[in-house]
Structure formats: C-alpha cells, structure tokens
Amino acid sequence: MDNELQTLQFTTIEFNNSNQYILQQIDDVISIIDDQLVTTQTLLSSPYIKPMKKRADDKLSFLHLSHEILDQWVNCQKNWLYLQPIFTGTSIQQKLYKEAMQWNTVMSIWSVLMDNTHLHPDFLTVISRENLLNNLIKCNDLLDSITKGLNAYLESKRLGFPRFFFLSNDELISI
C-alpha cells in the first residue's frame, strides 16, 4: 500500500490555453484512496494487528485526511470550472465588484496550488503540502459566496425583465 502511494501521481492538463491547470483522472486517485481505506479498516479489525496497530491507525488517519482533501479539491475544481469563463471573459466583474475581488483571491490560491501540483505531481508531496486543506476550504467558501452573489444578480435581472425567467443562468450571462 505504501509503494502504491509513493508511485501515485496527479495528472494535470492546461485548461483552454489559459495557463491554468486542472486535475484530470482524479477518479483513479480517489478509487485508490478508497480501496486503501477499506483495506486498512479491515486490517484494523484483525486480532493479529497488535504489533502494527499504531502504524495502521496513522495510515488510516492519513487516508481519511487525503480523502477529505480530494473531496474538497474536486468540489473546488467543479465550481472553478463553472465560474472561470464567467469571471474572465465577461464584463460581469464590473457589476459584481465584491464577487470579482473574491474571484481574484480564489484565482491566486488556485494558480499556486495547480502550478505546484503540475510541477511536482507526486501524491505524497502534494497531499503533505502545508495548509492544502485549509486553502481548498477557503476557496470553496469563496466560490459558494461568488455563486450566491451571481445568482442574486441574475435574479434581479429576471425581476426587471420577466422574459428572462425562461432562460438558464448560462444563457442569461451570455446576454
């Protein structure tokens, strides 16, 4: 199990020629972590684990932390992918100043995180980065706030023009 984690690497690709990277094939990494979680929990239920119990407990804690980080990361990437074209290619930043400032904060954290992951894709190196989980949680909170602000703005436009109620958010943004 240790050898598998030592050889495991993240795969990144450039997103739409934007000099920004995103994770690819993350499901494979999550699957390996899930499998190791089940295996470690099974080992801990064995009566013969006593000599290795401390190591197994530490491994289980590490795997739980890794799983939480990956969940936060996938959620962050999903929201980032949705909002990135909105806040980089439209004039909406002028209308949503607070959300634009939050987006800039997310972009700075995301850029550093993904550049480092692209340059050093080893799983153990990436997962052991300082403040990784906290940065992802912060980005997710900011992305949620941005989404709420964007939805409120779009709702105000719909109230002003009732025909807009028949359009999706994406269609309304393009208008």
Side-chain angles (χ1 to χ4, degrees), residues 154-162 164-165 167-169 172:
L154 295 176
E155 187 66 23
S156 72
K157 293 299 178 187
R158 285 185 175 110
L159 291 173
F161 300 98
F164 287 165
F165 279 104
L167 299 176
S168 70
N169 284 353
L172 186 56

Side-chain angles (χ1 to χ4, degrees), residues 59-73:
K59 177 63 114 183
L60 186 64
S61 297
F62 173 76
L63 291 170
H64 278 298
L65 175 64
S66 298
H67 196 276
E68 184 178 357
I69 288 170
L70 292 173
D71 284 346
Q72 291 288 334
W73 206 335

Side-chain angles (χ1 to χ4, degrees), residues 61-89:
S61 297
F62 173 76
L63 291 170
H64 278 298
L65 175 64
S66 298
H67 196 276
E68 184 178 357
I69 288 170
L70 292 173
D71 284 346
Q72 291 288 334
W73 206 335
V74 166
N75 187 41
C76 186
Q77 179 167 298
K78 179 185 65 134
N79 291 327
W80 184 86
L81 286 170
Y82 172 70
L83 293 170
Q84 195 270 348
I86 296 170
F87 280 90
T88 55

Side-chain angles (χ1 to χ4, degrees), residues 97-110:
Y97 181 74
K98 177 183 152 207
E99 287 77 7
M101 296 306 295
Q102 291 173 331
W103 176 254
N104 290 336
T105 302
V106 168
M107 280 302 294
S108 66
I109 295 170
W110 182 260

